[in-house]
Amino acid sequence: QDGMSPLMEQMIFFHDHTLMILIMITMMVGYTMVSLTYNNLINRYLLEGQMIELLWTIIPAITLVFIALPSLKLLYLLDEMNNPSITIKSIGHQWYWSYEYSDFKNLEFESYMSLYEKTKFRLLDVDNRIILPFLIQIRMLVCSMDVIHSWTIPSLGVKLDALPG
């Protein structure tokens, strides 16, 4: 799915960045293996020496830094929460979800999966959809009553695991 939030766009960019690094590493190792297979010449300075050992230690470390720095930036962006305007408590049950808007009094409902109706999204559509406001900070509190559940909105880059308790 296309990203519908700035954080999901950042996750897609990070995925593409990491994939390009992995493709370059794979092509370089593949080229080296093919050239060593078809080349009968040998270089005695390539097999022994502190310079080559230094290079094959430093180059992977630099590669890991190029992957780790954007990853850490993205982790901090995903975890940031600035004064949420609304808090929604989502409780996973065996066959349904129940939602509570804790900022309002007695505003709670249950959401069952639509199994038999002819809907556009079979087994993904529900009878009572949760309404999320647009362009405000939302805090989701997710827990479970019985087993581990997963609450997700893929296009926003949100996936929360609900644990019992």
Side-chain angles (χ1 to χ4, degrees):
Q1 292 183 359
D2 292 334
M4 295 296 165
S5 71
L7 293 177
M8 186 61 187
E9 292 290 331
Q10 288 294 321
M11 289 195 313
I12 291 171
F13 291 149
F14 174 69
H15 173 266
D16 295 343
H17 168 74
T18 307
L19 193 63
M20 288 304 295
I21 291 174
L22 290 175
I23 287 172
M24 287 190 294
I25 290 171
T26 304
M27 289 177 62
M28 187 174 67
V29 168
Y31 173 74
T32 305
M33 289 175 58
V34 168
S35 67
L36 286 175
T37 303
Y38 292 116
N39 190 358
N40 293 330
L41 303 174
I42 191 164
N43 185 353
R44 67 183 179 133
Y45 296 112
L46 189 62
L47 298 177
E48 294 179 5
Q50 291 182 351
M51 189 61 178
I52 190 69
E53 289 181 10
L54 183 70
L55 284 177
W56 72 46
T57 304
I58 289 177
I59 290 175
I62 292 172
T63 305
L64 288 175
V65 167
F66 277 120
I67 294 174
L69 289 179
S71 172
L72 290 174
K73 176 187 168 194
L74 186 60
L75 282 173
Y76 282 114
L77 283 175
L78 288 171
D79 198 37
E80 184 180 11
M81 176 60 68
N82 295 329
N83 294 331
S85 301
I86 190 169
T87 301
I88 300 172
K89 184 177 180 183
S90 177
I91 304 169
H93 298 277
Q94 187 76 27
W95 295 105
Y96 63 96
W97 287 89
S98 61
Y99 297 100
E100 300 174 7
Y101 289 85
S102 59
D103 297 332
F104 307 104
K105 293 183 179 181
N106 293 333
L107 186 55
E108 57 186 53
F109 62 93
E110 295 174 346
S111 179
Y112 291 90
M113 186 170 39
S114 299
L115 295 174
Y116 304 110
E117 298 176 11
K118 302 278 186 195
T119 60
K120 185 175 181 182
F121 303 108
R122 184 176 177 270
L123 297 178
L124 293 175
D125 205 7
V126 294
D127 58 353
N128 291 325
R129 295 179 182 172
I130 186 170
I131 298 172
L132 298 175
F134 187 64
L135 292 177
I136 67 167
Q137 293 281 330
I138 301 171
R139 178 188 301 138
M140 288 296 298
L141 303 176
V142 180
C143 68
S144 172
M145 292 298 286
D146 42 24
V147 295
I148 298 174
H149 295 280
S150 181
W151 191 92
T152 182
I153 304 175
S155 61
L156 294 180
V158 176
K159 182 184 181 303
L160 302 170
D161 292 323
L163 300 174

